[in-house]
Amino acid sequence: MNQPKYIFAAIITFLLWGFFSFGLRPIATYPPLDILFFRLYISVIILVTINVCFRQNKIKKDWKLFSSLEKKKKKRLISLVIGGSFILMTNWLSYIIVMNNISVQAASLSYLVCPIITTLLSFILLHDHLTKVKWIAIIISFVACVILSIGHFVDLMYSLIVATSFALYIIIQRSLNMFDSFNLLMTQLLVISIIMLPFAFVLLGNIPTESIFYQCIFMIVILFTIIPMFLNNFALKGIDSSTVGILIYLNPITNFLLAIFYYHEKVSFLQSIGYLLIFLAIIIFNSIFFKLYKKK
């Protein structure tokens, strides 16, 4: 476990996601729905091509597994796939809006608090046990969110929509972990692309003609969707949860540093207090992971 190649793959994955703003910010003037539709349909085309050409055995294996299930369980899995598809699209759209129309800081905040929100939702929906330490981290995060909402309530709400939608998606994926995660992503995007096709024709604006738009869309699809997904799947085969719990924060921390030092976004005194409380909550929340990692 935790061989260097798996850790390296995880680091590359989370760093790539941390630089997501490089794909979105140059096309901030385009409507979020246009960006969403193009990302969705180009992703579907590429994913289906990859799976059909190179991963037929994986598809057959998953289909055989699904076919062997009883009818009741099939219906439940289908509803989870469809529900997960809608939640994933909510996450993608809200993230585009936050990154391009609010701030890179707000996008970073979304994934800073996401693991904590995931844990809280698991407690509410799945009745998972929460330790006192995690409750302390959740309370500190709540106080931080109250502080960050002062003068920026709408911004915070969008950030929480991003975090909550991704947290719900993670919880749903837990119920689908018997299937290949790459096949699941393809299936979910394929399902939602079919459902949204009529809306795409109605809601899509004028077809973009500038090359920068398509360059950024392909960057988003390949660099920030498909490649990280491949690396993430590979990394999870060889690293444990304590390592993931630490490395996952490379994404929002990279985003936050870009917001301050590259995009020169200002941080007020109150926001600074809020962010410091969030980082404190993260340290407390992951204290058990730090202890396990230190032992190793």
Side-chain angles (χ1 to χ4, degrees), residues 57-69:
N57 289 337
K58 295 281 187 181
I59 296 174
K60 290 176 182 177
K61 184 179 177 181
D62 278 352
W63 179 251
K64 186 178 179 180
L65 174 60
F66 178 76
S67 301
S68 67
L69 300 174

Side-chain angles (χ1 to χ4, degrees), residues 18-295:
F19 285 96
F20 207 152
S21 58
F22 285 3
L24 283 174
R25 296 290 280 191
I27 52 175
T29 56
Y30 290 90
L33 275 175
D34 286 9
I35 298 172
L36 176 71
F37 287 138
F38 275 94
R39 181 188 182 186
L40 171 62
Y41 288 103
I42 292 175
S43 294
V44 167
I45 291 169
I46 294 176
L47 287 170
V48 169
T49 302
I50 290 172
N51 270 347
V52 169
C53 294
F54 305 106
R55 307 180 83 249
Q56 288 187 24
N57 289 337
K58 295 281 187 181
I59 296 174
K60 290 176 182 177
K61 184 179 177 181
D62 278 352
W63 179 251
K64 186 178 179 180
L65 174 60
F66 178 76
S67 301
S68 67
L69 300 174
E70 58 184 35
K71 191 174 181 180
K72 186 177 179 181
K73 193 164 186 179
K74 283 181 183 178
K75 287 182 178 180
R76 181 175 177 272
L77 290 175
I78 290 171
S79 64
L80 286 174
V81 168
I82 295 173
S85 303
F86 278 103
I87 290 169
L88 183 60
M89 285 305 100
T90 301
N91 175 261
W92 280 15
L93 180 60
S94 55
Y95 188 76
I96 291 168
I97 293 171
V98 168
M99 181 68 79
N100 283 355
N101 301 103
I102 297 177
S103 68
V104 179
Q105 287 179 56
S108 174
L109 175 64
S110 302
Y111 287 101
L112 281 171
V113 299
C114 185
I116 297 175
I117 290 178
T118 303
T119 302
L120 181 59
L121 288 175
S122 295
F123 169 76
I124 295 170
L125 300 175
L126 305 177
H127 308 293
D128 286 358
H129 173 69
L130 285 184
T131 63
K132 289 181 180 179
V133 170
K134 289 190 175 181
W135 273 118
I136 292 170
I138 289 169
I139 292 168
I140 293 173
S141 297
F142 177 76
V143 173
C145 287
V146 171
I147 293 171
L148 290 169
S149 70
I150 299 172
H152 302 275
F153 182 76
V154 176
D155 297 3
L156 177 64
M157 286 301 101
Y158 270 108
S159 294
L160 292 179
I161 289 171
V162 174
T164 305
S165 59
F166 194 70
L168 286 170
Y169 180 72
I170 290 171
I171 291 171
I172 287 175
Q173 294 303 92
R174 286 183 188 175
S175 302
L176 299 169
N177 61 9
M178 66 182 75
F179 300 107
D180 179 81
S181 57
F182 202 81
N183 284 343
L184 270 177
L185 178 65
M186 180 196 72
T187 303
Q188 287 171 328
L189 294 187
L190 192 58
V191 166
I192 200 67
S193 66
I194 294 170
I195 294 172
M196 292 181 67
L197 192 58
F199 300 98
F201 283 111
V202 175
L203 299 175
L204 190 64
N206 295 327
I207 302 297
T209 56
E210 295 82 0
S211 61
I212 185 65
F213 179 83
Y214 296 100
Q215 289 170 12
C216 287
I217 290 294
F218 275 99
M219 186 190 302
I220 290 168
V221 170
I222 295 170
L223 276 182
F224 303 124
T225 303
I226 294 175
I227 290 178
M229 190 66 191
F230 267 127
L231 291 175
N232 189 54
N233 289 347
F234 175 74
L236 290 177
K237 293 177 181 178
I239 58 176
D240 52 39
S241 58
S242 62
T243 307
V244 174
I246 295 169
L247 293 179
I248 195 171
Y249 288 102
L250 285 172
N251 171 5
I253 289 172
T254 302
N255 240 329
F256 187 78
L257 292 175
L258 285 173
I260 304 302
F261 297 108
Y262 185 79
Y263 295 107
H264 305 293
E265 294 181 0
K266 295 181 180 179
V267 182
S268 68
F269 177 71
L270 273 178
Q271 285 178 307
S272 298
I273 293 174
Y275 286 126
L276 285 173
L277 285 175
I278 290 291
F279 280 111
L280 175 61
I282 289 168
I283 292 170
I284 293 171
F285 184 81
N286 289 283
S287 58
I288 187 171
F289 289 148
F290 285 117
K291 288 177 183 178
L292 288 171
Y293 195 76
K294 188 177 180 181
K295 285 180 181 179

